[in-house]
């Protein structure tokens, strides 16, 4: 890969992409759940609140009305058995609960984002994570008065069509900092429904509920682009259309770590120092005893002069320039994810008897925004998608 040529190509590509919007601000309806305004808890709350604020701005969530808030306060102030009875009553056939949208948190960890959503918005909750955590928010969410499910599974194996809590439901997906390849696994899991849906449509009688599972939209905070992998990455077709090869993709992933040089967010790996060092040839694998190796070394020396020149040019880039290049690489990688979501078809339903389409085919509208300032987190990109027309984005 010609590094300097790739940098010029990346800069040219980014000039053709829409600028990243700014959607800073906290959800005022979440203020009463705000912890002390200091420390890690405050930083986490700002990010969670801003993600939910953006989801509401893009019409993905609805705030609970005052009557519901009052009833939930009364049940929460009562004894613990009363809370359980309220939850059981909802689960046993409250028609209004059946109309609730489901908040699906991917890579949920302890479920902090889902818990804040459940406290504030009119939704049921499903959380997905590969690990089992102690001191989760699960018990609190159950006592709020909404349906709740936790699924422990690797996102690469997550099949959304088999989640009972989503059958016949509208859902929105959210995530706070899905690291690297996890974002691609999450997008594949969400959009896998469209591929499975084609199979369902051939036999609607056997799977009538799957036809009604509708994704309203999503909001995923992406991060750690240096951990992306070519195989699972969802934007390969997009990269091919703009002339980016696999080797160039891998180089962009490496350079994307420059965006976090000197920040605490770079603690995912010491990539700032590792990626800025020039590549040195290893001598551990050389066999100096053979004549053939000496012949190969002549070709290597001839070709190495150009590589050394390019590496020298890369080393001459100052820190500020590397940070800019890192952000540009992240922008291109996230543009591939936007493209992938824009191919997702929504609003497709077929009459079980006539097998004809009875609603229009729409595509997701997407937008990439900064949802917090860099003082809170330098990993501050939020990928938003909605099934509303682009004019509402």
């Amino acid at each position: 890969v010609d590094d300097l040529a790739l940098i010029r190509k990346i800069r040219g590509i980014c000039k053709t992409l829409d600028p990243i919007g700014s959607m800073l601000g906290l959800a005022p309806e979440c203020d009463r759940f705000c912890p002390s305004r200091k420390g890690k808890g405050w930083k986490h709350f700002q990010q969670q609140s801003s993600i939910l604020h953006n989801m509401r701005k893009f019409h993905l969530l609805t705030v609970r009305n005052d009557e519901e808030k009052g009833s939930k306060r009364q049940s929460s102030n009562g004894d613990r058995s009363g809370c359980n009875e309220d939850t059981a009553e909802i689960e046993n056939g409250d028609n209004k609960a059946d109309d609730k949208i489901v908040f699906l948190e991917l890579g949920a960890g302890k479920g902090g984002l889902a818990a804040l959503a459940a406290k504030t918005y009119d939704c049921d909750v499903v959380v997905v994570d590969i690990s089992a955590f102690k001191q989760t928010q699960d018990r609190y969410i159950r006592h709020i008065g909404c349906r709740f499910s936790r699924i422990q599974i690797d996102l690469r194996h997550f099949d959304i069509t088999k989640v009972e809590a989503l059958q016949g439901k509208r859902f929105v997906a959210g995530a706070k900092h899905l690291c690297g390849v996890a974002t691609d696994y999450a997008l594949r899991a969400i959009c896998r429904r469209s591929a499975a849906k084609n199979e369902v449509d051939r036999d609607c009688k056997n799977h009538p509920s799957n036809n009604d599972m509708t994704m309203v939209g999503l909001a995923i905070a992406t991060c750690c682009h240096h951990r992306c992998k070519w195989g699972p990455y969802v934007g390969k077709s997009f990269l091919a259309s703009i002339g980016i090869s696999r080797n160039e993709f891998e180089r962009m992933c490496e350079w994307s770590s420059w965006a976090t040089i000197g920040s605490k967010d770079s603690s995912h790996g010491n990539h700032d120092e590792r990626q800025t060092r020039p590549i040195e040839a290893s001598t551990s694998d050389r066999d100096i005893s053979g004549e053939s190796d000496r012949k190969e070394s002549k070709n290597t020396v001839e070709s190495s002069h150009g590589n050394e020149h390019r590496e020298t040019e890369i080393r001459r880039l100052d820190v500020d320039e590397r940070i800019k290049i890192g952000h540009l690489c992240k922008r291109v990688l996230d543009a591939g994810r936007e493209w992938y979501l824009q191919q997702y078809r929504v609003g497709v339903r077929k009459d079980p008897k006539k097998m004809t389409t009875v609603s229009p085919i729409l595509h997701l509208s997407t937008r990439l925004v900064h949802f917090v300032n860099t003082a809170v987190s330098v990993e501050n990109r939020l990928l938003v998608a909605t099934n509303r027309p682009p004019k509402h984005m």
Side-chain angles (χ1 to χ4, degrees), residues 89 358 369 382:
E89 181 179 352
V358 295
V369 300
L382 186 68

Side-chain angles (χ1 to χ4, degrees), residues 266-278:
S266 65
S267 60
H268 293 289
N270 295 323
H271 31 80
D272 53 328
E273 179 181 356
R274 182 180 69 249
Q275 302 298 349
T276 56
R277 287 201 307 266

Side-chain angles (χ1 to χ4, degrees), residues 178-194:
L178 272 180
C179 185
V181 70
T183 294
D184 298 299
Y185 286 139
L187 295 180
R188 287 185 181 277
I190 294 170
C191 295
R192 186 177 298 154
R193 184 187 69 88
S194 61

Side-chain angles (χ1 to χ4, degrees), residues 316-368:
R316 289 177 180 172
L317 295 173
D318 59 27
V319 173
D320 291 338
E321 190 64 25
R322 293 187 189 199
I323 292 175
K324 291 178 182 178
I325 294 171
H327 285 295
L328 294 179
C329 291
K330 286 175 175 285
R331 179 66 186 98
V332 175
L333 294 172
D334 282 337
R337 290 161 169 167
E338 286 188 86
W339 175 89
Y340 178 78
L341 287 170
Q342 289 165 7
Q343 313 311 305
Y344 180 87
R345 295 189 301 174
V346 295
V348 181
R349 291 191 182 182
K350 294 192 175 182
D351 187 298
K353 296 180 179 179
K354 300 180 180 179
M355 295 300 290
T356 57
T357 301
V358 295
S359 64
I361 297 175
L362 302 175
H363 293 275
L364 289 175
S365 302
T366 64
R367 190 174 177 191
L368 193 66

Side-chain angles (χ1 to χ4, degrees), residues 1-11 248 255 310:
V1 176
D2 187 332
D3 292 341
L4 297 180
L6 178 57
I7 290 174
R8 289 193 295 270
K9 183 188 292 187
I10 292 170
R11 286 172 173 159
E248 291 172 325
W255 291 345
R310 287 192 294 270

Side-chain angles (χ1 to χ4, degrees), residues 26 30 33-52 105 108 110-114 116 137 175-177 221 265 268 371-372 375-377:
L26 306 183
C30 295
F33 303 110
C34 177
S36 174
R37 291 178 177 264
K38 59 182 180 180
K40 291 184 177 179
W42 169 233
K43 284 196 172 185
H44 285 307
F45 176 82
Q46 290 180 80
Q47 294 174 70
Q48 293 165 355
S49 178
S50 183
I51 290 172
L52 297 177
E105 184 179 4
K110 295 182 179 181
L113 179 63
L116 188 59
Q137 298 286 325
K176 184 175 83 71
H177 290 161
D265 289 340
H268 293 289
F371 71 104
V372 291
V376 178
S377 174

Side-chain angles (χ1 to χ4, degrees), residues 99 174 198 247 272 280 363:
D99 295 333
N198 293 332
N247 290 337
D272 53 328
E280 298 177 357
H363 293 275

